[in-house]
Amino acid sequence: MMALQVAGCALPPLLVRRRCRRRAFRSPRAVASDAAPAAAREEDGKVALGGSGVAVTKLGIGAWSWGDTTYWNEFQWDDRKLKAAKGAFDASIDCGITFFDTAEVYGAGISGAINSESLLGRFIKERQKKEQVEVAIATKFAALPWRFGRGSVICALKASLDRLGVSSVELYQLHWPGIWGNEGYLDGLGDAVEQGLVKAVGVSNYSEKRLRDAYARLKKRGIPLASNQVNYSLIYRNPEENGVKAACDELGITLIAYSPIAQGALTGKYTPDNPPKGPRGRIYTPEFLTKLQPLINRIKEIGGNYGRTPTQVVLNWLVCQGNVVPIPGAKNAEQAREFAGALGWSLTGDEVEELRSMARQVKPVIGFPVEKL
């Protein structure tokens, strides 16, 4: 997901509670292949990120809201919200969800009170004092116009590693395509792999053409492009329509879906009489929510047949697309536990297509402009 602020170098001065103790995944460096599998490989309830050899849980947790005060958290951050975010992290681990996505632009400076990476690093450290846990970290490089060349990627990555308190991360992504210098950024990703600072690399908000170009450039160095993180949900299916999902399947690139519950609009929590507050209220208006209600009602009916919530149904719908890892944002333990209940069962093919057909009647919300670059 995107935000407005950046930290780091190159800036001017229901549900199942279970404890997971899997062995940490260690893999040799993977090599890009001409015949990458369209479907993600599964191992111990996990999926591989593209051809990288890095395995993550089938659903991850997005940490965009942690520390943020411009889009989330009603423009304020306090000890209560900090405690809730920590609860979300711990509940995720308890439920077997160990994949967390953050970014250098989440939380600090003009967009928040504290950097999301710093919070995630703190939560991991505190948990490690109690028990040895496996956590897969994904973070992102902000392609800002004053950042030039491959060195800027390494510099920003090292700053992220410092905030996270780790020596390497499982996945490092270009947050969005830059206005210029994208070849240098991709070269920086390759350098990060070769220097052992990351185990896999990906992109975010990349169009089909940019995705194919990035895949080809990294492949020349024998490095697989592991993922493309894009806005994807039942009511925002642009990746299906613009060729991105098909290209990911063809090339063996995992599609990581951000905003998979449409920032709460698909949970059934909001109604025309109770729209979301803050910036989301300008997107998911009472008029939009009125048109959404027939779909929400059907989602609730289907969920009732499985003993699942609307949130779990729409997340499962994404998992059913194949080669998709949703990363809903969890602000508290209750949300994290609910997200975990999206796994371990499956909608039928008819239900998947029925929901897609009904969703076509809802005019999609606007995605990020960078998707068209």
Side-chain angles (χ1 to χ4, degrees):
M1 283 166 256
M2 294 183 63
L4 299 176
Q5 180 273 340
V6 66
C9 66
L11 283 173
L14 38 144
L15 304 175
V16 182
R17 291 175 179 266
R18 60 187 173 83
R19 196 168 294 273
C20 176
R21 290 189 175 89
R22 299 187 184 99
R23 291 187 309 237
F25 183 86
R26 295 290 183 269
S27 68
R29 175 179 157 194
V31 177
S33 138
D34 285 319
R41 300 182 307 280
E42 297 189 13
E43 177 178 329
D44 295 332
K46 297 185 177 183
V47 292
L49 290 175
S52 69
V54 172
V56 300
T57 47
K58 296 178 182 179
L59 182 145
I61 297 296
W64 178 15
S65 69
W66 295 0
D68 178 80
T69 57
T70 58
Y71 195 84
W72 302 100
N73 301 308
E74 299 176 348
F75 309 111
Q76 58 182 339
W77 184 258
D78 53 29
D79 288 343
R80 179 177 60 85
K81 290 176 180 175
L82 172 62
K83 184 177 180 180
K86 176 63 162 55
F89 173 83
D90 283 331
S92 299
I93 298 294
D94 292 343
C95 292
I97 305 300
T98 58
F99 179 40
F100 295 86
D101 178 82
T102 183
E104 61 173 329
V105 295
Y106 294 165
I110 65 172
S111 73
I114 184 170
N115 190 280
S116 172
E117 289 178 325
S118 298
L119 287 174
L120 178 56
R122 180 194 305 181
F123 297 162
I124 293 171
K125 184 177 181 180
E126 290 173 356
R127 183 77 182 215
Q128 295 283 14
K129 291 179 181 178
K130 300 178 181 179
E131 62 175 334
Q132 188 67 30
V133 295
E134 169 192 351
V135 175
I137 301 172
T139 191
K140 309 181 201 71
F141 167 84
L144 298 166
W146 56 83
R147 284 180 159 173
F148 297 97
R150 63 208 302 166
S152 65
V153 175
I154 298 299
C155 183
L157 171 57
K158 288 181 177 179
S160 287
L161 295 176
D162 184 61
R163 286 186 291 272
L164 287 161
V166 296
S167 59
S168 68
V169 291
E170 279 65 32
L171 179 66
Y172 195 50
Q173 307 151 94
L174 302 182
H175 205 153
W176 59 82
I179 298 174
W180 49 64
N182 288 288
E183 291 185 347
Y185 297 153
L186 291 167
D187 291 342
L189 289 184
D191 294 344
V193 172
E194 292 178 350
Q195 292 179 30
L197 300 175
V198 302
K199 299 178 178 66
V201 290
V203 293
S204 180
N205 298 299
Y206 266 46
S207 66
E208 178 189 1
K209 182 181 185 306
R210 285 191 178 277
L211 183 68
R212 291 184 181 278
D213 290 346
Y215 173 88
R217 189 171 186 87
L218 288 167
K219 181 181 175 184
K220 290 178 181 178
R221 297 175 67 173
I223 297 172
L225 179 63
S227 61
N228 186 17
Q229 184 179 144
V230 295
N231 188 350
Y232 187 25
S233 72
L234 179 58
I235 58 171
Y236 189 81
R237 301 177 310 286
N238 203 41
E240 297 177 359
E241 298 159 1
N242 62 13
V244 166
K245 175 66 165 65
C248 285
D249 293 346
E250 173 194 337
L251 300 174
I253 299 168
T254 299
L255 191 154
I256 299 176
Y258 70 75
S259 294
I261 55 176
Q263 299 180 7
L266 287 170
T267 65
K269 174 181 179 181
Y270 301 113
T271 67
D273 295 327
N274 178 40
K277 299 177 182 179
R280 287 182 295 161
R282 295 194 293 270
I283 301 172
Y284 304 106
T285 63
E287 293 77 16
F288 178 86
L289 293 170
T290 296
K291 296 177 181 178
L292 188 63
Q293 285 311 295
L295 176 61
I296 295 296
N297 291 338
R298 183 56 182 143
I299 290 169
K300 289 179 178 179
E301 290 175 359
I302 292 174
N305 294 333
Y306 292 94
R308 304 288 171 169
T309 67
T311 297
Q312 292 165 344
V313 170
V314 296
L315 289 173
N316 190 270
W317 184 89
L318 281 171
V319 173
C320 287
Q321 306 311 308
N323 195 34
V324 175
V325 176
I327 52 166
K331 293 192 286 186
N332 55 57
E334 182 181 1
Q335 290 179 349
R337 295 186 193 107
E338 183 176 21
F339 297 156
L343 301 178
W345 63 284
S346 180
L347 295 167
T348 67
D350 287 344
E351 288 166 339
V352 168
E353 291 311 312
E354 179 189 0
L355 291 177
R356 177 182 280 109
S357 178
M358 291 190 68
R360 290 193 182 103
Q361 308 306 313
V362 181
K363 184 178 180 181
V365 295
I366 298 173
F368 289 120
V370 291
E371 292 177 344
K372 300 184 183 299
L373 289 176

